[in-house]
Amino acid sequence: MTIQRMKMAHYRRYRPAVVIARTHARELAEKWELTEVRDYLELAVSELVTNAVVHGRAAKGSRVTVTYRLDEERLWAEVRDWASGMPKISRPSPRGMYADGGRGLRVVAAITDRWGVIPRVIGKSVWFEFKRNSAPADATCRGETS
């Protein structure tokens, strides 16, 4: 597979970065003419950057990096942080839809074709992909660890 396009963006670990990352994801989908996954890309990036910013325990001044790769078959994205802790899909809260948080990875699993977590020496990467020309609603919704 030959990478046709690649983009990397760095964000400070603070809450306003979520809105900025979400906007950049939407703009990138428009620029790369990926309108069929635009909304899903925006949502998945938003959820993963939120997790990195809100739940990660990292040194002051650390960053979150989002990398996008597009090839003939898929759009692949990775959210990398240098924080401790590994993400996992949480069980539904007894409070149901009224609970604060706990649904981000379930959302990512539901809207992407594949996703997973890569442990790093310091921190981790959470990645996902969309197959080109496939509807995300048909996603297999399986998490994988690389």
Side-chain angles (χ1 to χ4, degrees), residues 9 11 14-30 37-51 53 64 66 68 79 128:
Y11 305 100
Y14 75 131
R15 289 180 188 262
V18 175
V19 174
I20 297 165
R22 183 173 52 233
T23 301
H24 286 164
R26 184 170 204 77
E27 290 170 351
L28 183 76
E30 294 287 341
V37 297
R38 178 188 55 226
D39 295 339
Y40 298 104
L41 177 64
E42 181 181 9
L43 179 57
V45 166
S46 177
E47 292 294 341
L48 295 181
V49 172
T50 298
N51 284 353
V53 167
V64 174
V66 181
Y68 304 91
V79 176
F128 62 87

Side-chain angles (χ1 to χ4, degrees), residues 118-136:
I118 303 170
R120 305 290 185 183
V121 173
I122 299 174
K124 74 278 192 185
S125 295
V126 182
W127 61 270
F128 62 87
E129 68 180 36
F130 296 109
K131 294 178 186 170
R132 292 194 67 182
N133 302 318
S134 72

Side-chain angles (χ1 to χ4, degrees), residues 43-44 47 103-112:
L43 179 57
E47 292 294 341
R103 293 179 293 277
L105 288 178
R106 281 187 276 160
V107 168
V108 171
I111 65 173
T112 62

Side-chain angles (χ1 to χ4, degrees), residues 61-130:
S62 68
R63 299 207 177 264
V64 174
T65 300
V66 181
T67 304
Y68 304 91
R69 290 187 185 98
L70 181 68
D71 64 31
E72 314 77 40
E73 298 176 11
R74 69 189 51 87
L75 169 65
W76 183 85
E78 171 188 37
V79 176
R80 168 85 164 94
D81 69 36
W82 286 260
S84 62
M86 292 299 291
K88 61 183 179 187
I89 294 181
S90 62
R91 292 185 171 167
S93 168
R95 294 187 64 213
M97 64 186 228
Y98 301 107
D100 289 337
R103 293 179 293 277
L105 288 178
R106 281 187 276 160
V107 168
V108 171
I111 65 173
T112 62
D113 289 306
R114 292 187 336 138
W115 74 279
V117 179
I118 303 170
R120 305 290 185 183
V121 173
I122 299 174
K124 74 278 192 185
S125 295
V126 182
W127 61 270
F128 62 87
E129 68 180 36
F130 296 109

